[in-house]
Amino acid sequence: MNIAFFRFLRGLLVITATLFLLTGCCRIHTAPNERPYRIVRCVQLFYAEDAVQSQRQYFHPEKLQQITDYLRFIRPYGTPSENPDTVQGRFFRITLCYSDGSCRIYEQKAERFMRIDGGAWKRIDPKLAQQLYFLWKNLSEDPLPRESPPPPLECPQI
């Protein structure tokens, strides 16, 4: 083969290695609104349908995982064509309390709408949304753990 071709490849390799080295040595900045790693310490779940209301708290890691998996899976999308505030049906408010003292509130209405932290209502898949009702039916409330402090005061208490 041509010696010029091998010199070209060697030069390309040197440039690539230098770029990787410089990229690895520079400080990577995170977005200003990005929070450090947090752990969900508590989930507060409020349920209402007609005259029935229920409030529960979950601390057990397996139960926390089931609820956070549901929230990751549901994926709200699009603007609803009807006003969710006038629609009747099941209502859930899920409050995630994190290890850094912050909270995130998810509201689900009529198995068709969801909003996060009081934002705009978004549509959700009704078939997937029914999973939250089944979680509520099957997960019993956890007693307050002795080894850890109660949920942070910043989180709304149910």
Side-chain angles (χ1 to χ4, degrees):
M1 286 221 162
N2 192 351
I3 292 181
F5 177 72
F6 286 115
R7 286 184 182 163
F8 170 76
L9 285 178
R10 185 179 70 192
L12 188 62
L13 180 64
V14 169
I15 291 171
T16 304
T18 304
L19 287 175
F20 281 130
L21 180 64
L22 291 175
T23 303
C25 292
C26 72
R27 183 176 176 196
I28 299 173
H29 298 280
T30 58
N33 61 352
E34 196 172 305
R35 295 183 178 152
Y37 181 73
R38 309 177 295 172
I39 298 171
V40 176
R41 302 286 301 217
C42 169
V43 171
Q44 299 171 344
L45 180 63
F46 172 80
Y47 166 79
E49 183 177 22
D50 299 325
V52 177
Q53 292 187 355
S54 173
Q55 302 175 35
R56 298 181 183 170
Q57 293 190 55
Y58 301 101
F59 301 95
H60 193 272
E62 291 174 4
K63 293 178 183 179
L64 297 177
Q65 187 67 47
Q66 288 182 44
I67 294 169
T68 56
D69 285 348
Y70 168 77
L71 293 171
R72 285 187 193 110
F73 186 68
I74 194 68
R75 305 248 186 234
Y77 65 94
T79 305
S81 58
E82 56 189 310
N83 183 358
D85 294 324
T86 61
V87 174
Q88 299 295 317
R90 292 183 186 131
F91 174 78
F92 286 97
R93 182 183 311 112
I94 306 164
T95 304
L96 302 182
C97 300
Y98 293 98
S99 56
D100 66 356
S102 65
C103 293
R104 185 145 220 191
I105 299 172
Y106 296 82
E107 293 174 302
Q108 178 175 310
K109 192 161 191 184
E111 296 174 339
R112 296 188 330 229
F113 311 106
M114 180 176 275
R115 69 178 172 185
I116 302 170
D117 292 330
W121 287 103
K122 302 283 186 178
R123 295 185 308 179
I124 54 176
D125 183 344
K127 290 179 183 176
L128 298 176
Q130 288 177 354
Q131 291 178 354
L132 182 57
Y133 179 70
F134 294 122
L135 282 174
W136 176 78
K137 291 287 276 183
N138 295 318
L139 296 178
S140 60
E141 182 174 25
D142 290 339
L144 193 63
R146 293 182 190 164
E147 69 278 355
S148 63
L153 295 175
E154 296 84 24
C155 290
Q157 298 295 312
I158 58 172

